[in-house]
Structures are given as structure tokens and as C-alpha cells.
Amino acid sequence: MQPSIRRRQNPALHAAKFICSRSVGSEEIEVEVLSLKPRFHFDLWLCFTAQNWILDVGRPVATLILPADWFPLSRPGVAEYLHILYNISAPLVLLKMLEHSPRKPPRFATHLGIISIVMGTSLHLVADSITRRLFLIGYQLHLSVRENPLMQDLKLSSLIDAFELLFHFDDTLGHLMWYVPLFLALFLFFSGCFSRRKHGEKMPAAGWMLLAPNVAYYWFLITEGQTFILFIFTLFAMTATVMHQRRRGLVPDSNGLFMIYSFCAALIPVAVWVVCLWNDGVLRKKHPGLIYIPQPRAVYTLHQTTCLHLTTEG
């Protein structure tokens, strides 16, 4: 009997076969997902819109409408409780959004983004609550920290540096940690919202119903949050993704159309807002630089101060 000869399999060949099998399987899964008829996630977009309007836009509205003496300045008010609820709901909505996406990002990137959003919104909560109390005792948001009469009356000039640090955490660091992963999550969700051409490009009536409030919130996000650069780069990335997917025979589904329509339409009220306030010298000084987009709360305090001066002079 001849001795049995064991053939040693080449490890490189085995790895190549494994990679090919995985790539073929992934392509089959992608084709299967793209062949399914897309569904508009009305529940997801409804939660996203309601959360943004009630918990985010509702904070400054509650500050202006509700009497200041309802809650002591040393304790959290309605705006702070709304902000706390937003800090909890926003990561959950984004996680649910990424779960619905056919192209899920790596788990490490998802966790890192959610942690960053929680930290950014928490920084913004603390700094914004102090800013709100300064506003209630006479702080003018259309002026810089050092130009505010409230700050000039301080006996210790070194306290102004502490308030400048506070506003840095609010307007710079907190916004970056909050909005960068937010727009990244929206783009990652959009990158999976494509289907074959046979399904057609059509947005349901539910999408058109939510379009206007979603566009209005993006206007608030750009103006109050000062996120124009992040917003426009996200829109450019979405447009480039659409052009790339069209070469593969794919078109945006109803969710993708809802997102890109919302982003494009949001530029219209932003442009009108900037044109109406273009020649305002005070706001120009508050927002120097090439990109000039005044904050609504700065516009409010500016007109409030102007009306007080006119009333006093009258």
C-alpha cells in the first residue's frame, strides 16, 4: 500500500477563496437589499421632527413666553428640563436612524459619535443655562462679552475671562462635539437610502407633510447653531453621493429624497434671513468674517434694546 500523502493547502490561496466568498456574499446581500421596495420611515422622521421642535426649538421659546419668576434662578427651569430630555432622546433617535440604514457604520464609530453628542449637548446645557440667566438680568446677546454693559460693571475684570471661557464652551466646543457627529450620522443614513431605478423617484404625501417643519428646523440649526459650514459640506457630500450612485443605476429612495429636498430647501429661508439683515452694523460686528449669518436670539435682544431706547426717549 502506498503511503497517504497529505496535501498542504496554500494559506494565501485559502485566504483569497475566503475573501472572494465574503465579497460575493456581500454583493448578493447588497443586491437583495437594493431590490427590495423602499419604505418611507414616517415614524422615524416624525419622532425626529417632533423632538427637534419641542425639545430644541422649544427651549428659547419657553424662556421668552414663560414668566421668569416661575422658577428661581438658582434652580433649573423649563428650558433646562427640555434640554435634558433632548440630551436623552437625540442619541436614541440617531441610533434608531442608523439601525434603519442598510449600510451600518462600524460599531466603534457609532459609539464614539453618540458619546460625543452626549458630551456636546451636556456642555451646551450647562453653558446655555448660565447664558439664559445672564439674559434675564440684562445681558445683551447681540454684543460681545467685553462690550456688554453687564460685564463692564463687574468690579473684578478677571471675571470677564471666565465668562469668555463659558461662551467658548457654549458656542465653539459644545457645538462642534454636538453637530459634527449629528451631520455625520445624517449623511451615513442618507448614503444607504438608494434603490434601483425601477422603483422610481417619488416621495409620499407623508414626506411632503413633514418637509416644511423639517426645513424650518434646519433654518434654526444653521442660524442659531451657526452650523452653515457643516450643513453645506454635508449637502455637497450628499450631492456627490447621488451623482456617484446614478452611475451604478441607483437613485435616492423616498427617505433620500426627503433628506436632500429638506437640505436644499433650507437654504432659501437662510438666504432671505441674511439678505434682510445684511446692512445691520451691530450684527456685523457680532458676527465678523466672510460667513455672515446672525443668530435669532441676537436679533431679538438687539430689537428689544432698540425698542427700550425708543420708549425711554419717547
Side-chain angles (χ1 to χ4, degrees):
M1 296 180 60
Q2 296 181 356
S4 60
I5 301 175
R6 296 182 59 186
R7 297 183 179 178
R8 298 180 59 186
Q9 189 174 4
N10 190 351
L13 181 61
H14 177 72
K17 290 181 179 179
F18 178 72
I19 292 174
C20 290
S21 63
R22 286 196 63 182
S23 62
V24 172
S26 62
E27 290 178 0
E28 290 178 355
I29 294 174
E30 183 178 3
V31 170
E32 183 179 355
V33 170
L34 292 174
S35 62
L36 295 176
K37 187 176 181 179
R39 182 178 69 89
F40 183 72
H41 301 300
F42 176 75
D43 53 346
L44 179 64
W45 291 118
L46 181 61
C47 292
F48 180 76
T49 306
Q51 165 206 258
N52 294 332
W53 272 96
I54 298 174
L55 303 181
D56 196 6
V57 183
R59 290 185 292 108
V61 174
T63 303
L64 298 176
I65 294 178
L66 298 179
D69 55 355
W70 278 16
F71 297 90
L73 296 181
S74 60
R75 294 292 183 269
V78 176
E80 281 74 36
Y81 289 120
L82 291 177
H83 207 316
I84 292 173
L85 291 176
Y86 180 87
N87 294 4
I88 298 173
S89 65
L92 296 177
V93 171
L94 291 178
L95 283 174
K96 194 66 176 178
M97 183 179 295
L98 293 177
E99 287 179 2
H100 282 79
S101 178
R103 295 185 176 181
K104 294 178 176 58
R107 184 173 299 179
F108 172 77
T110 302
H111 292 171
L112 184 63
I114 296 301
I115 292 172
S116 178
I117 290 176
V118 173
M119 291 181 62
T121 52
S122 300
L123 287 174
H124 188 269
L125 167 62
V126 176
D128 197 54
S129 61
I130 299 176
T131 304
R132 186 170 293 108
R133 277 141 186 81
L134 292 175
F135 167 73
L136 292 176
I137 61 176
Y139 187 86
Q140 301 178 18
L141 297 172
H142 61 278
L143 298 176
S144 63
V145 178
R146 295 188 179 272
E147 294 177 349
N148 257 271
L150 187 65
M151 296 297 168
Q152 294 175 356
D153 293 338
L154 294 176
K155 295 182 179 180
L156 293 177
S157 59
S158 58
L159 287 176
I160 300 179
D161 296 331
F163 281 106
E164 285 185 336
L165 177 62
L166 172 70
F167 280 91
H168 176 75
F169 276 111
D170 184 8
D171 296 332
T172 304
L173 187 60
H175 281 191
L176 286 176
M177 297 182 67
W178 177 2
Y179 293 128
V180 170
L182 172 64
F183 281 105
L184 184 59
L186 291 175
F187 173 72
L188 290 175
F189 177 79
F190 175 80
S191 63
C193 297
F194 289 87
S195 61
R196 297 295 179 186
R197 290 184 181 273
K198 62 181 181 179
H199 298 303
E201 303 180 25
K202 186 179 180 182
M203 193 168 66
W208 291 109
M209 182 182 66
L210 293 177
L211 187 65
N214 207 45
V215 168
Y217 175 72
Y218 285 142
W219 168 85
F220 176 81
L221 199 64
I222 295 171
T223 55
E224 186 63 36
Q226 297 292 291
T227 59
F228 178 77
I229 295 178
L230 289 173
F231 184 88
I232 202 67
F233 271 101
T234 305
L235 180 58
F236 287 160
M238 292 167 63
T239 305
T241 304
V242 171
M243 297 173 62
H244 172 71
Q245 295 290 5
R246 284 185 180 275
R247 297 191 187 99
R248 301 177 56 194
L250 303 177
V251 294
D253 61 10
S254 56
N255 299 282
L257 290 176
F258 176 77
M259 292 188 67
I260 200 165
Y261 286 170
S262 300
F263 270 66
C264 292
L267 296 177
I268 299 175
V270 172
V272 174
W273 175 261
V274 172
V275 169
C276 293
L277 301 171
W278 185 260
N279 296 322
D280 197 306
V282 177
L283 295 175
R284 279 280 184 178
K285 193 175 181 180
K286 171 67 175 179
H287 300 281
L290 182 62
I291 300 177
Y292 168 70
I293 301 178
Q295 289 180 299
R297 61 178 181 174
V299 176
Y300 174 80
T301 57
L302 174 61
H303 288 287
Q304 185 186 43
T305 305
T306 305
C307 292
L308 289 176
H309 285 317
L310 292 176
T311 303
T312 304
E313 293 176 358

